[in-house]
Amino acid sequence: MSERFHTERGRRSWGRVVDAEHRIGRAQTPGSVEALFASAKAAGLSTLAFGLGRSYGDSNLNPGGSLIETRGLDRFMAFDAAAGTLRAEAGVSLDEILRVVVPAGFFLPTTPGSRFVTLGGAIANDVHGKNHHGAGTFGRYVRSLTLARSDGAVQRISPETHAELFAATVGGLGLTGIILDAEIALTAIPSALIAQRVEAIRNVDHFFELAEVRAAEHEHTVAWIDCTAQGDRLGQGVFSSGDWASPGGHEAHSGRMGPSLPFDAPAMALNPVTLRSFNALYRWRQLSKPGLSTVHYSGFFYPLDAIGHWNRLYGPRGFYQYQSVIPFDQARDATRAMLERIARSGEGSFLAVLKTFGNTPSPGLLSFPMPGVTLALDFANHGAATLALMRDLDAIVLAAGGRLYPAKDGRMSAHAFQESYPDWRKVEALRDPLISSAFWRRVTHHDG
């Protein structure tokens, strides 16, 4: 085996369920990617790009194969404040981008719930944020990108020059090649502050009433749901909405890390009693704050980033994140059915998120968002019982014409994936033959 790779065990994605041995190579320059491709090919190993490991399931893992870490590709290449565009290497994190562009009066066009995501990862998963109902997904703002393939080809691609390959790469889970760099459009902001509104949600029906009104009024909306509530309180929670505030300064978030969980929480710490207690306390704390306030973007968009290694909260066996989207015409009944099943199970999250997606088309063949309502929850890994619960939820989602989020998934069936993402064969046709992942092999039954 080439010296460009070394063996590591314990490489996990954010959910920490899969613990597998990989051969690891680190890309430090764009040219080194070609050498790592050659080494993997010579050793007969498939490979896959790996950034900051914030995908929850197994879409960024390649057990038995190799991973090419991209964090070494961390150089800023061009920032045009007049045009509002940024070009950077794929291993630069969203955290690092914000430190550069916020003081200049810009922000990411949309952002996921963590800033510890690489630029390449954000494109490969076509991430979305609280402003999807107006802005759509991250991929809509990618003007062009450089893609390296294992046959030695290095191409600059865009929707105009390579429409099919671009659509397969944005949201394509890193399967079409390794993204070396990208140019993205930024959003001008009047300040680094958000004018926030927080209000109570009484139940599922009240969520749908609020979501329709607030999405028309505000740029950013999201709801937290108490997944332990039942009966008339089913779906109770807290609805947050916000817009960029003016006036205010352009101070980027602090570089200091907050407290970190130093070890795995005991498995017994997460049970129906502690879940109910936490959810009741969290709702009370949120609703005890002023209904209208001005907050820094870091607290509004990235509350979980304030706790280092929060993924240890679910214990040593890890957790599954389950995120679905249901079309609007089926969403109310399906959401109610899902929350009833979860509440009966006694399993569920400390934080469950419910929000709406807008009608803006996603640019990627495998992009997750579509018009409808999305529900995201964490389930501690309790083995067979947890898997059975998620299979029941799958049945509700598929019957309602919905689908699951590949970037979050760690156990979706091939049937569920192929029914929900009929364009997967187009991605397979454009997949780099040397690149594979545990997720892709499972949902396509592909051995390469």
Side-chain angles (χ1 to χ4, degrees), residues 246-266:
S246 180
H250 288 91
E251 183 178 352
H253 59 277
S254 170
R256 295 190 302 274
M257 294 298 294
S260 179
L261 288 179
F263 49 77
D264 294 328

Side-chain angles (χ1 to χ4, degrees), residues 145-318:
L145 60 88
T146 303
L147 188 70
R149 290 175 63 92
S150 63
D151 61 2
V154 177
Q155 299 171 284
R156 191 76 188 162
I157 67 173
S158 72
E160 293 76 28
T161 62
H162 299 77
E164 290 185 349
L165 184 57
F166 188 85
T169 300
V170 172
L173 306 171
L175 295 162
T176 61
I178 291 186
I179 299 171
L180 300 181
D181 63 72
E183 179 178 308
I184 61 171
L186 301 169
T187 296
I189 52 174
S191 77
L193 305 178
I194 295 285
Q196 174 182 251
R197 178 202 296 260
V198 176
E199 53 199 317
I201 302 170
R202 295 190 300 273
N203 51 39
V204 173
D205 288 336
H206 190 211
F207 163 78
F208 278 87
E209 294 166 11
L210 270 181
E212 183 175 1
V213 173
R214 299 300 180 230
E217 295 176 338
H218 297 288
E219 183 176 358
H220 307 281
T221 63
V222 67
W224 165 82
I225 296 296
D226 177 354
C227 60
T228 67
Q230 301 187 55
D232 293 340
R233 297 182 297 110
L234 185 76
Q236 75 173 8
V238 179
F239 199 99
S240 300
S241 49
D243 301 285
W244 290 106
S246 180
H250 288 91
E251 183 178 352
H253 59 277
S254 170
R256 295 190 302 274
M257 294 298 294
S260 179
L261 288 179
F263 49 77
D264 294 328
M268 65 176 60
L270 186 64
N271 57 57
V273 174
T274 57
L275 269 178
R276 283 196 296 273
S277 300
F278 174 86
N279 278 266
L281 177 62
Y282 183 83
R283 186 170 187 268
W284 175 81
R285 284 201 61 186
Q286 294 302 308
L287 295 178
S288 66
K289 299 176 182 176
L292 300 175
S293 61
T294 301
V295 299
H296 193 261
Y297 72 78
S298 58
F300 185 80
F301 291 118
Y302 310 114
L304 286 176
D305 283 346
I307 307 171
H309 299 294
W310 67 262
N311 55 342
R312 292 174 174 167
L313 196 62
Y314 291 96
R317 297 180 68 183

Side-chain angles (χ1 to χ4, degrees), residues 67-83:
L67 296 175
I68 296 178
E69 291 189 337
T70 60
R71 274 292 282 157
L73 303 175
D74 61 354
R75 287 160 282 267
F76 287 85
M77 303 168 74
F79 175 34
D80 186 337

